[in-house]
Amino acid sequence: MYVRRGIHVHHLLRDSWPFLIGVSLWSGIVVYLNEILELRFLSIPIVPVTTIGIAVSLYLGFKSTSAYSRWWEARQVWGAIITGSRDWGNSVLNLIYADGRKLDPAVRQDLIRRHIAWVHALAFQLRARSRLKAAGATYAFGRRLIFQDADYHQTPESYRRLLSAEEIAEVEATGNIATHLLRRQGDRLRELAEQGFLDSYRHVAMMAMITALFDGQGKCERIKNTPFPRQVANFGLMFTWIFIILLPLAFVDSFEAETALRSMSEEASLDYLLLMIPFTLLISWVFHIMERVSDSTEDPFEGGVADVPISALARTIEIELLEMMGAGDVPDPMQPVDGVLY
Amino acid sequence: MYVRRGIHVHHLLRDSWPFLIGVSLWSGIVVYLNEILELRFLSIPIVPVTTIGIAVSLYLGFKSTSAYSRWWEARQVWGAIITGSRDWGNSVLNLIYADGRKLDPAVRQDLIRRHIAWVHALAFQLRARSRLKAAGATYAFGRRLIFQDADYHQTPESYRRLLSAEEIAEVEATGNIATHLLRRQGDRLRELAEQGFLDSYRHVAMMAMITALFDGQGKCERIKNTPFPRQVANFGLMFTWIFIILLPLAFVDSFEAETALRSMSEEASLDYLLLMIPFTLLISWVFHIMERVSDSTEDPFEGGVADVPISALARTIEIELLEMMGAGDVPDPMQPVDGVLY
Amino acid sequence: MYVRRGIHVHHLLRDSWPFLIGVSLWSGIVVYLNEILELRFLSIPIVPVTTIGIAVSLYLGFKSTSAYSRWWEARQVWGAIITGSRDWGNSVLNLIYADGRKLDPAVRQDLIRRHIAWVHALAFQLRARSRLKAAGATYAFGRRLIFQDADYHQTPESYRRLLSAEEIAEVEATGNIATHLLRRQGDRLRELAEQGFLDSYRHVAMMAMITALFDGQGKCERIKNTPFPRQVANFGLMFTWIFIILLPLAFVDSFEAETALRSMSEEASLDYLLLMIPFTLLISWVFHIMERVSDSTEDPFEGGVADVPISALARTIEIELLEMMGAGDVPDPMQPVDGVLY
Amino acid sequence: MYVRRGIHVHHLLRDSWPFLIGVSLWSGIVVYLNEILELRFLSIPIVPVTTIGIAVSLYLGFKSTSAYSRWWEARQVWGAIITGSRDWGNSVLNLIYADGRKLDPAVRQDLIRRHIAWVHALAFQLRARSRLKAAGATYAFGRRLIFQDADYHQTPESYRRLLSAEEIAEVEATGNIATHLLRRQGDRLRELAEQGFLDSYRHVAMMAMITALFDGQGKCERIKNTPFPRQVANFGLMFTWIFIILLPLAFVDSFEAETALRSMSEEASLDYLLLMIPFTLLISWVFHIMERVSDSTEDPFEGGVADVPISALARTIEIELLEMMGAGDVPDPMQPVDGVLY
Amino acid sequence: MYVRRGIHVHHLLRDSWPFLIGVSLWSGIVVYLNEILELRFLSIPIVPVTTIGIAVSLYLGFKSTSAYSRWWEARQVWGAIITGSRDWGNSVLNLIYADGRKLDPAVRQDLIRRHIAWVHALAFQLRARSRLKAAGATYAFGRRLIFQDADYHQTPESYRRLLSAEEIAEVEATGNIATHLLRRQGDRLRELAEQGFLDSYRHVAMMAMITALFDGQGKCERIKNTPFPRQVANFGLMFTWIFIILLPLAFVDSFEAETALRSMSEEASLDYLLLMIPFTLLISWVFHIMERVSDSTEDPFEGGVADVPISALARTIEIELLEMMGAGDVPDPMQPVDGVLY
């Protein structure tokens, strides 16, 4: 997630230059074919192109809205995970008790540490696979691969460091590590209930917290595993390109009409038509970027620049829960890298 | 659900070629009648057609948004079913107990296996009927009939394999198998309560989980049985076709105006007008596809390419619950067929 | 609710023919006044009319979205009523018990039968009054009066058949039958609590189900009694008509410009202008239908063709609850009439 | 809330006539300056004005959608208050009991009467202040001051009639009467719990109902006290007026172009240009009304014609709760005044 | 939050004058270069600029809707915090009790005072940092720095005044003061449970209230710490500026076409073209303001004029809770400053 208010120009150019060169070339070719080779076929009336421009804008508006909703839902789910975590910490400390007996503090610490492990395991499961190609530098719409370490949830060490070897072995034998960590929390609660530290009522209340965490996990997995409908996304892209390709064909026609209207000399006409190139560039870049923006918010867990910063949020949870149980080894909050928080 | 990021060109062409040929013919006829037979009646000013184009885009925007919401809600409901299933598994293992007595493990297994049967019965009830014609190959917007088996929820064997003959007979005698499987879970819980393995409090908590599952089931049935309002869907289609049919009539007028403006020779004019055909094709294809895309997301449980992949999700649930109860017969996750997960 | 995928042409024509004739006449008059009487006043530039066309499309887009949301919410509420009913059935059978004593099965049946009565009373209260004029045949946007019977919730017999004479007298003395049926369920539960068949905990759980049913009832009443804001609906209609009336005035101008451009003879010009009539018809029909579609989904409980099929849904609930309690007199599901489910 | 399906023409004209006269004058002046004084400066090309027209429509679309959502949310909240009230009545009658002891019926009546007082106090707090100027007649978008009485929640008598003098004195000493009425309900429940008529479990369940009522109250206060963002509302109005003021300047240009095209005589030209006035009127009225409609739904608790009818809803609650407790003094439902329910 | 219905003209001008001067200059330069230096290159056909204008309007529509949703969600969250606070007060007074023993009133006061401290600590954490530059006067879209005191949550004194020195030291040693204040409430509840003033059931009910408060806090932090996606915001701004810069280039072309059409003299032409400047100004100002409006609602906790007025809401909570516990030191509600409530 970009935290700088403005986007760096060089981050943007790293993404946009092939587009800018490509469209300039295409516009240049259209002018050349029209004016030098006089292939007047290659110019079309502008009104239909305008219509398709509006239809494409509407389609991109639909795509942007839907993609943004996915992104924001992802952030909301992680907000709920933070709330669930604070709740878990508060309840582990204050809802488990029995008349006249004292609970071993190690039991509470174990429940909290396993919870932190669950948060990191979930982040790891979301981040480990990515459809984006990793790059060595920050692109406005790309993924930067400088983080081959556990902090950024690229390796299983992210959660392993908080678990015993026995527990690692057990959960890694299953298809979904996070699910089985939560189930193990359920097992611990049952033991506490059987030992009398939880009555039925408080037991159910704490099981309901696990349900809330299962809910957060399931929602993240839904967003990760269900890509934005490919038909919507792909045709959005195709329509944008159809518009961009038709644009110079229509502009050449409009600009030519201008030259006729003003009865320019042939040379002046050519100069004037070349002027078409930057304008085409500007307008098609606007559509291109609209498409890229919606594409970039569509998948919020790919480790890209526009990601929901789940590594930073997982760290926040770890800090708060460690502080709650008065632990001494509290890490620092994560910092943005090159203006981007991951 | 398409899981490949791009849609295969041949999948797309299987759907689009009749459209492309039809529109080419219609455009050709319009040019022919105008230019060769000189039926100048068949050309109309472009501005009104543009207006209707914008109105149709807006209407398709409304239709796409609503259809996508149905699709995404369907996916959310199945996400909630996954959460409910994990919750059920965790609770069956950890909320049913009594002081000093041990519960027969077969009772827990029975509750979990019946739950898996419920998931498959629900998927079967959603998938067995389809409004889409099945085809032997993958179409971009079609339904592929290679799955005449239980895995894809085409046959009742999907859920029967998990139930006893007696139970199959009982639930199949009713109008809604899934409902009665859940009611039977309720019967089992009552027995456990009467035997003292559930106190009132834990009993109510587990009944609330059944409510959550009834809720998921009811939402799926709502989406399956309440088609997107036919008036909205049908007129969306009609409007698109009205626009597509008017398009060449307006383009022929615009292109003709161009030939007049440039005082082309008659032959050049005809050549230029023929150029109109690909442009008409491109623009009307954009509108045609917009309509198809919204149509394809409107019904998420038809077994089509754009479906919510409920067979794969049901399999995921089966895997996780079997792993939770430590069963040995855990199946593999389902794989995409031809880039599509069902 | 239309269940056929396509709308019958004759259903549509029954609605549209007065519109089609009216607009044809108006277009014809405009051509006549302009061309024969040469009242050239009656032609205006097309661009402002286009602008208003776009503004009206946007307004209709807003109206359609809001109206559709009402319709879909109505369907969701009935989905929740189905879930609440299954839940009620399951809980009546499984949550009411006492150690060592057996509950008279008639008590359970009474609770379930009164629930079915509530569902039908609610449907009756929603359907009995309608703002739509009833007709003898199916119109695409109308209301068909063939159902003067209890099955379609046109008469109080819908719910009376399930209640004792004493109970009918009591609830019909009040202003809202459904409310007082639920309150009576509350009375029964209190008696069961006092008899010890419900402890405090299960009593509260079952009262919460009544709350959920009150919630569903209140939401239906909200949608029924709060019409879509009349200012939004009425001005939407007025704007559409302003656009439709201006349309031929602008078209006549555009078509005339064409005749000038092509220097047609006077006779050819007149022929060409007459061609304007079908195009005006087509485009204004699109706007007219957009308005009708949004109008038709705005009120989902009027007994019209586009209604949420609450009679069929109430029947579904009756079937499932009767099957749950093992009753013998289970009715059949309701069937569509002329492609429409009510 | 308008309950008639159509809006009275005279209600509408009361609002619109200053606008209609103003715009007619402005259009007339523009024609006069252009044609008689020949100040040709005062005519501008129409395309940019069209663009701004579309931008303004989109902005009004956004404003309408948001304003309508506020209105509908307000209605939903009052729906929830109705549900909460039925729930309260049912629970007061059926959840408060103790083994072997009978509760004084006056206690139940006291709890229900105070609830009705709360509903009216809330309505009074929402309605007493209004930003709208009261008028003696019904305007399509105005506020009618014929109701200087308690029934319409214009005076504190609305709720006082249901409370004892001591209670009135206590709650009116605080900043928020409704809040403290609910707190007093909490006090009563505590007394009942201490007397043993509520066990912990039923006590918490009834406290949760008070929470739901606090929630409804807080949501109403949110909508009342947080005006629709003034920047959005004000600039929407400004943009509409900028468009309306530019409109005749652009139309005069378009109509002039027509007169040139048709080479009309000077006199005919002037006549033709005067024709511009009604068209300008019609189109600018459409934009004006779009703005008024969104403005009218923006604040649902001002006592205006477009209000959520909270007086009628409060009356409904009073009727149903009195009927529930078998009271004899049940009032009649409120009736629309001049087609409007308040 | 602006509470005046209209925005002061001088507040608006403080923001807009650099824009107005800048665009006037740019338009003037374009006219100068075109007309005096005859650099006819600098004029482009208007239709493509119109297209981009519509695309930009749509994008700004998307941006406005999303930004407004953030703002409204922020207000909803604070509404929920108000409800949670009333609930907390009511429950502290009425849910904590034990048979035959009286609770020290100081314990209740301590629980309520700490809650008020939490509200202020949360407001302080949201308001203390701001991305907006503070100014000495009210700007329509700016932040006014006259409030360097605790009332406006600019200093930690906001919450410190309600806590003991020991408690301040403890919570300020952690990374999140609000979180740890709530955890301390949890500690107090456990003590009360251990002393028997809360049974398990009421204990869990009160812990659930803390969960609701954690939820409110987490949602505020989500909105504060997750800026509106920078790619969406930044490109929205860029697109607006591209449109504004292209506008005079297209207008100069349109106005020139007019002068040609009317065959004006050269001098009249120049005069006419200068007229272009105010129109350009008006139209580009509309787009500029649309962008500013969406920008201003995007971040609701920056202490700006468009903020959700959390200082005033926190004060409301303080007043109501103090009144609930009968305290004597109740402060007055906060008043708007210069028409703005903070």
Side-chain angles (χ1 to χ4, degrees), chain A residues 41 43 48 131 200-201 203 211 221 226 230 234 253, chain B residues 5 75 86-87 97 199 201-202 251 258 262 272 275:
Chain A
F41 296 148
S43 78
R131 66 163 176 95
S200 246
Y201 197 78
H203 187 191
T211 305
E221 290 169 356
T226 311
R230 299 323 302 154
N234 279 307
D253 193 67
Chain B
R5 289 205 68 78
R75 181 60 188 82
R86 288 168 175 169
D87 211 23
Y97 53 83
D199 58 17
Y201 197 79
R202 285 180 276 125
F251 273 20
E258 295 277 311
R262 299 170 185 210
Y272 186 71
L275 202 75

mmCIF file of all heavy atoms in Angstrom, chain A residues 41 43 48 131 200-201 203 211 221 226 230 234 253, chain B residues 5 75 86-87 97 199 201-202 251 258 262 272 275:
data_model
loop_
_atom_site.group_PDB
_atom_site.id
_atom_site.type_symbol
_atom_site.label_atom_id
_atom_site.label_comp_id
_atom_site.label_asym_id
_atom_site.label_seq_id
_atom_site.Cartn_x
_atom_site.Cartn_y
_atom_site.Cartn_z
ATOM 1 N N PHE A 41 -8.012 5.231 -46.329
ATOM 2 C CA PHE A 41 -8.896 4.259 -45.679
ATOM 3 C C PHE A 41 -8.776 4.348 -44.159
ATOM 4 O O PHE A 41 -9.734 4.124 -43.442
ATOM 5 C CB PHE A 41 -8.483 2.824 -46.052
ATOM 6 C CG PHE A 41 -8.642 2.545 -47.496
ATOM 7 C CD1 PHE A 41 -7.773 1.668 -48.149
ATOM 8 C CD2 PHE A 41 -9.660 3.142 -48.227
ATOM 9 C CE1 PHE A 41 -7.936 1.385 -49.489
ATOM 10 C CE2 PHE A 41 -9.814 2.857 -49.576
ATOM 11 C CZ PHE A 41 -8.947 1.983 -50.201
ATOM 12 N N SER A 43 -8.838 6.212 -41.836
ATOM 13 C CA SER A 43 -9.367 7.253 -40.953
ATOM 14 C C SER A 43 -10.873 7.062 -40.890
ATOM 15 O O SER A 43 -11.527 6.801 -41.894
ATOM 16 C CB SER A 43 -9.001 8.639 -41.478
ATOM 17 O OG SER A 43 -9.836 8.999 -42.535
ATOM 18 N N PRO A 48 -18.642 7.506 -33.678
ATOM 19 C CA PRO A 48 -18.750 6.147 -33.121
ATOM 20 C C PRO A 48 -17.633 5.813 -32.146
ATOM 21 O O PRO A 48 -17.866 5.110 -31.154
ATOM 22 C CB PRO A 48 -18.670 5.245 -34.357
ATOM 23 C CG PRO A 48 -18.347 6.121 -35.501
ATOM 24 C CD PRO A 48 -18.665 7.517 -35.137
ATOM 25 N N ARG A 131 0.604 -14.085 -8.407
ATOM 26 C CA ARG A 131 0.529 -14.106 -9.862
ATOM 27 C C ARG A 131 1.427 -13.034 -10.466
ATOM 28 O O ARG A 131 1.657 -12.994 -11.665
ATOM 29 C CB ARG A 131 -0.915 -13.890 -10.325
ATOM 30 C CG ARG A 131 -1.458 -12.513 -10.000
ATOM 31 C CD ARG A 131 -2.695 -12.184 -10.798
ATOM 32 N NE ARG A 131 -3.250 -10.909 -10.403
ATOM 33 C CZ ARG A 131 -2.994 -9.746 -11.015
ATOM 34 N NH1 ARG A 131 -2.195 -9.701 -12.047
ATOM 35 N NH2 ARG A 131 -3.543 -8.625 -10.585
ATOM 36 N N SER A 200 -19.411 -23.844 31.108
ATOM 37 C CA SER A 200 -20.034 -23.992 29.803
ATOM 38 C C SER A 200 -20.188 -22.639 29.124
ATOM 39 O O SER A 200 -19.969 -22.473 27.939
ATOM 40 C CB SER A 200 -21.433 -24.581 29.955
ATOM 41 O OG SER A 200 -21.494 -25.852 29.397
ATOM 42 N N TYR A 201 -20.587 -21.675 29.946
ATOM 43 C CA TYR A 201 -20.927 -20.394 29.389
ATOM 44 C C TYR A 201 -19.725 -19.661 28.821
ATOM 45 O O TYR A 201 -19.730 -19.185 27.681
ATOM 46 C CB TYR A 201 -21.615 -19.548 30.461
ATOM 47 C CG TYR A 201 -22.295 -18.440 29.791
ATOM 48 C CD1 TYR A 201 -23.508 -18.659 29.148
ATOM 49 C CD2 TYR A 201 -21.678 -17.211 29.693
ATOM 50 C CE1 TYR A 201 -24.106 -17.659 28.459
ATOM 51 C CE2 TYR A 201 -22.277 -16.214 28.998
ATOM 52 C CZ TYR A 201 -23.490 -16.429 28.381
ATOM 53 O OH TYR A 201 -24.069 -15.432 27.672
ATOM 54 N N HIS A 203 -16.926 -21.052 28.075
ATOM 55 C CA HIS A 203 -16.388 -21.916 27.034
ATOM 56 C C HIS A 203 -17.030 -21.561 25.672
ATOM 57 O O HIS A 203 -16.337 -21.334 24.683
ATOM 58 C CB HIS A 203 -16.643 -23.380 27.388
ATOM 59 C CG HIS A 203 -15.973 -24.350 26.464
ATOM 60 N ND1 HIS A 203 -16.245 -25.692 26.461
ATOM 61 C CD2 HIS A 203 -15.043 -24.170 25.496
ATOM 62 C CE1 HIS A 203 -15.523 -26.290 25.541
ATOM 63 N NE2 HIS A 203 -14.778 -25.392 24.948
ATOM 64 N N THR A 211 -14.859 -18.912 16.115
ATOM 65 C CA THR A 211 -15.727 -18.803 14.935
ATOM 66 C C THR A 211 -15.446 -17.500 14.188
ATOM 67 O O THR A 211 -15.349 -17.480 12.958
ATOM 68 C CB THR A 211 -17.211 -18.826 15.363
ATOM 69 O OG1 THR A 211 -17.434 -19.991 16.130
ATOM 70 C CG2 THR A 211 -18.126 -18.820 14.155
ATOM 71 N N GLU A 221 -9.427 -16.153 2.315
ATOM 72 C CA GLU A 221 -9.239 -17.219 1.334
ATOM 73 C C GLU A 221 -10.180 -17.043 0.146
ATOM 74 O O GLU A 221 -9.818 -17.304 -0.996
ATOM 75 C CB GLU A 221 -9.460 -18.580 1.998
ATOM 76 C CG GLU A 221 -8.361 -18.943 2.990
ATOM 77 C CD GLU A 221 -8.673 -20.155 3.845
ATOM 78 O OE1 GLU A 221 -9.804 -20.689 3.732
ATOM 79 O OE2 GLU A 221 -7.818 -20.572 4.637
ATOM 80 N N THR A 226 -10.674 -16.766 -5.247
ATOM 81 C CA THR A 226 -11.656 -16.467 -6.284
ATOM 82 C C THR A 226 -11.212 -15.219 -7.004
ATOM 83 O O THR A 226 -11.496 -14.118 -6.575
ATOM 84 C CB THR A 226 -13.048 -16.232 -5.671
ATOM 85 O OG1 THR A 226 -13.340 -17.287 -4.774
ATOM 86 C CG2 THR A 226 -14.114 -16.162 -6.744
ATOM 87 N N ARG A 230 -12.822 -13.572 -14.492
ATOM 88 C CA ARG A 230 -11.899 -13.332 -15.605
ATOM 89 C C ARG A 230 -12.591 -12.723 -16.793
ATOM 90 O O ARG A 230 -12.012 -11.932 -17.528
ATOM 91 C CB ARG A 230 -11.173 -14.630 -16.016
ATOM 92 C CG ARG A 230 -10.324 -15.272 -14.953
ATOM 93 C CD ARG A 230 -9.586 -14.329 -14.039
ATOM 94 N NE ARG A 230 -8.688 -13.426 -14.732
ATOM 95 C CZ ARG A 230 -8.321 -12.242 -14.265
ATOM 96 N NH1 ARG A 230 -8.786 -11.804 -13.116
ATOM 97 N NH2 ARG A 230 -7.505 -11.479 -14.936
ATOM 98 N N ASN A 234 -10.940 -9.551 -18.267
ATOM 99 C CA ASN A 234 -10.300 -9.661 -19.577
ATOM 100 C C ASN A 234 -10.957 -8.792 -20.627
ATOM 101 O O ASN A 234 -10.283 -8.144 -21.424
ATOM 102 C CB ASN A 234 -10.356 -11.111 -20.067
ATOM 103 C CG ASN A 234 -9.269 -11.936 -19.430
ATOM 104 O OD1 ASN A 234 -8.111 -11.567 -19.487
ATOM 105 N ND2 ASN A 234 -9.657 -13.016 -18.795
ATOM 106 N N ASP A 253 -8.719 11.666 -38.674
ATOM 107 C CA ASP A 253 -9.844 12.198 -39.432
ATOM 108 C C ASP A 253 -10.246 13.591 -38.938
ATOM 109 O O ASP A 253 -10.428 14.526 -39.726
ATOM 110 C CB ASP A 253 -11.024 11.219 -39.277
ATOM 111 C CG ASP A 253 -12.127 11.486 -40.258
ATOM 112 O OD1 ASP A 253 -11.904 11.286 -41.462
ATOM 113 O OD2 ASP A 253 -13.205 11.926 -39.809
ATOM 114 N N ARG B 5 -5.582 -16.622 -16.131
ATOM 115 C CA ARG B 5 -5.790 -15.171 -16.129
ATOM 116 C C ARG B 5 -6.376 -14.680 -17.448
ATOM 117 O O ARG B 5 -7.180 -13.769 -17.475
ATOM 118 C CB ARG B 5 -4.499 -14.423 -15.788
ATOM 119 C CG ARG B 5 -4.173 -14.631 -14.305
ATOM 120 C CD ARG B 5 -3.352 -13.531 -13.739
ATOM 121 N NE ARG B 5 -4.067 -12.281 -13.659
ATOM 122 C CZ ARG B 5 -4.968 -11.989 -12.724
ATOM 123 N NH1 ARG B 5 -5.261 -12.824 -11.775
ATOM 124 N NH2 ARG B 5 -5.568 -10.830 -12.720
ATOM 125 N N ARG B 75 -20.775 -16.581 -3.996
ATOM 126 C CA ARG B 75 -19.456 -16.989 -3.506
ATOM 127 C C ARG B 75 -19.315 -16.708 -2.014
ATOM 128 O O ARG B 75 -18.728 -17.505 -1.276
ATOM 129 C CB ARG B 75 -18.375 -16.258 -4.316
ATOM 130 C CG ARG B 75 -16.951 -16.613 -3.928
ATOM 131 C CD ARG B 75 -16.679 -18.099 -4.126
ATOM 132 N NE ARG B 75 -15.386 -18.495 -3.586
ATOM 133 C CZ ARG B 75 -15.148 -18.777 -2.299
ATOM 134 N NH1 ARG B 75 -16.128 -18.701 -1.427
ATOM 135 N NH2 ARG B 75 -13.947 -19.145 -1.899
ATOM 136 N N ARG B 86 -16.156 -25.547 9.219
ATOM 137 C CA ARG B 86 -15.011 -25.634 10.123
ATOM 138 C C ARG B 86 -15.494 -25.513 11.565
ATOM 139 O O ARG B 86 -15.019 -26.222 12.457
ATOM 140 C CB ARG B 86 -14.034 -24.503 9.818
ATOM 141 C CG ARG B 86 -13.293 -24.713 8.508
ATOM 142 C CD ARG B 86 -12.561 -23.435 8.091
ATOM 143 N NE ARG B 86 -11.746 -23.686 6.894
ATOM 144 C CZ ARG B 86 -11.181 -22.729 6.184
ATOM 145 N NH1 ARG B 86 -11.331 -21.457 6.525
ATOM 146 N NH2 ARG B 86 -10.461 -23.031 5.119
ATOM 147 N N ASP B 87 -16.404 -24.616 11.763
ATOM 148 C CA ASP B 87 -16.985 -24.380 13.066
ATOM 149 C C ASP B 87 -17.685 -25.633 13.578
ATOM 150 O O ASP B 87 -17.537 -26.007 14.738
ATOM 151 C CB ASP B 87 -18.036 -23.280 12.869
ATOM 152 C CG ASP B 87 -18.166 -22.437 14.091
ATOM 153 O OD1 ASP B 87 -17.221 -22.387 14.884
ATOM 154 O OD2 ASP B 87 -19.225 -21.801 14.230
ATOM 155 N N TYR B 97 -19.345 -32.921 25.582
ATOM 156 C CA TYR B 97 -18.645 -33.683 26.619
ATOM 157 C C TYR B 97 -19.516 -33.734 27.866
ATOM 158 O O TYR B 97 -20.496 -32.993 27.983
ATOM 159 C CB TYR B 97 -17.280 -33.070 26.949
ATOM 160 C CG TYR B 97 -17.320 -31.598 27.290
ATOM 161 C CD1 TYR B 97 -17.647 -31.156 28.576
ATOM 162 C CD2 TYR B 97 -17.026 -30.633 26.330
ATOM 163 C CE1 TYR B 97 -17.680 -29.810 28.896
ATOM 164 C CE2 TYR B 97 -17.062 -29.287 26.627
ATOM 165 C CZ TYR B 97 -17.386 -28.872 27.919
ATOM 166 O OH TYR B 97 -17.433 -27.548 28.221
ATOM 167 N N ASP B 199 -25.064 -29.686 27.777
ATOM 168 C CA ASP B 199 -26.004 -29.009 28.659
ATOM 169 C C ASP B 199 -26.807 -28.027 27.808
ATOM 170 O O ASP B 199 -26.531 -27.828 26.606
ATOM 171 C CB ASP B 199 -25.285 -28.317 29.827
ATOM 172 C CG ASP B 199 -24.268 -27.305 29.379
ATOM 173 O OD1 ASP B 199 -24.323 -26.894 28.198
ATOM 174 O OD2 ASP B 199 -23.407 -26.924 30.182
ATOM 175 N N TYR B 201 -26.850 -25.009 27.537
ATOM 176 C CA TYR B 201 -26.119 -23.918 26.955
ATOM 177 C C TYR B 201 -25.367 -24.328 25.700
ATOM 178 O O TYR B 201 -25.461 -23.688 24.646
ATOM 179 C CB TYR B 201 -25.153 -23.350 27.997
ATOM 180 C CG TYR B 201 -24.726 -22.035 27.541
ATOM 181 C CD1 TYR B 201 -25.557 -20.941 27.699
ATOM 182 C CD2 TYR B 201 -23.540 -21.903 26.852
ATOM 183 C CE1 TYR B 201 -25.200 -19.730 27.196
ATOM 184 C CE2 TYR B 201 -23.186 -20.689 26.345
ATOM 185 C CZ TYR B 201 -24.004 -19.601 26.524
ATOM 186 O OH TYR B 201 -23.668 -18.410 26.008
ATOM 187 N N ARG B 202 -24.637 -25.452 25.811
ATOM 188 C CA ARG B 202 -23.901 -25.912 24.632
ATOM 189 C C ARG B 202 -24.849 -26.445 23.562
ATOM 190 O O ARG B 202 -24.582 -26.342 22.373
ATOM 191 C CB ARG B 202 -22.862 -26.966 25.047
ATOM 192 C CG ARG B 202 -21.665 -26.285 25.755
ATOM 193 C CD ARG B 202 -20.627 -27.299 26.186
ATOM 194 N NE ARG B 202 -20.965 -27.886 27.480
ATOM 195 C CZ ARG B 202 -21.081 -29.194 27.725
ATOM 196 N NH1 ARG B 202 -20.868 -30.071 26.749
ATOM 197 N NH2 ARG B 202 -21.426 -29.628 28.919
ATOM 198 N N PHE B 251 -23.716 4.230 -39.375
ATOM 199 C CA PHE B 251 -22.334 4.302 -39.840
ATOM 200 C C PHE B 251 -22.281 4.574 -41.335
ATOM 201 O O PHE B 251 -21.435 5.337 -41.812
ATOM 202 C CB PHE B 251 -21.609 2.982 -39.543
ATOM 203 C CG PHE B 251 -21.010 2.958 -38.191
ATOM 204 C CD1 PHE B 251 -21.458 3.819 -37.198
ATOM 205 C CD2 PHE B 251 -19.970 2.082 -37.881
ATOM 206 C CE1 PHE B 251 -20.899 3.803 -35.937
ATOM 207 C CE2 PHE B 251 -19.408 2.061 -36.631
ATOM 208 C CZ PHE B 251 -19.868 2.916 -35.662
ATOM 209 N N GLU B 258 -18.209 11.313 -44.992
ATOM 210 C CA GLU B 258 -16.760 11.417 -45.191
ATOM 211 C C GLU B 258 -16.390 11.418 -46.677
ATOM 212 O O GLU B 258 -15.577 12.217 -47.133
ATOM 213 C CB GLU B 258 -16.041 10.225 -44.533
ATOM 214 C CG GLU B 258 -16.146 10.169 -43.043
ATOM 215 C CD GLU B 258 -15.122 11.050 -42.351
ATOM 216 O OE1 GLU B 258 -13.930 10.979 -42.698
ATOM 217 O OE2 GLU B 258 -15.544 11.852 -41.490
ATOM 218 N N ARG B 262 -14.525 14.419 -48.681
ATOM 219 C CA ARG B 262 -13.225 14.268 -49.348
ATOM 220 C C ARG B 262 -13.380 14.155 -50.860
ATOM 221 O O ARG B 262 -12.426 13.823 -51.548
ATOM 222 C CB ARG B 262 -12.547 13.000 -48.853
ATOM 223 C CG ARG B 262 -12.303 13.066 -47.372
ATOM 224 C CD ARG B 262 -11.879 11.721 -46.891
ATOM 225 N NE ARG B 262 -11.753 11.757 -45.454
ATOM 226 C CZ ARG B 262 -10.912 11.019 -44.770
ATOM 227 N NH1 ARG B 262 -10.132 10.178 -45.416
ATOM 228 N NH2 ARG B 262 -10.862 11.103 -43.476
ATOM 229 N N TYR B 272 -14.154 2.527 -49.419
ATOM 230 C CA TYR B 272 -14.140 3.139 -48.098
ATOM 231 C C TYR B 272 -15.320 2.646 -47.265
ATOM 232 O O TYR B 272 -15.181 2.353 -46.085
ATOM 233 C CB TYR B 272 -14.179 4.666 -48.249
ATOM 234 C CG TYR B 272 -14.024 5.384 -46.941
ATOM 235 C CD1 TYR B 272 -12.792 5.385 -46.273
ATOM 236 C CD2 TYR B 272 -15.081 6.068 -46.371
ATOM 237 C CE1 TYR B 272 -12.639 6.047 -45.078
ATOM 238 C CE2 TYR B 272 -14.929 6.733 -45.164
ATOM 239 C CZ TYR B 272 -13.706 6.717 -44.514
ATOM 240 O OH TYR B 272 -13.558 7.366 -43.319
ATOM 241 N N LEU B 275 -14.950 -0.633 -45.680
ATOM 242 C CA LEU B 275 -14.133 -0.521 -44.479
ATOM 243 C C LEU B 275 -15.002 -0.384 -43.235
ATOM 244 O O LEU B 275 -14.592 -0.682 -42.109
ATOM 245 C CB LEU B 275 -13.258 0.719 -44.609
ATOM 246 C CG LEU B 275 -12.013 0.738 -43.752
ATOM 247 C CD1 LEU B 275 -10.993 -0.207 -44.361
ATOM 248 C CD2 LEU B 275 -11.465 2.132 -43.659
#
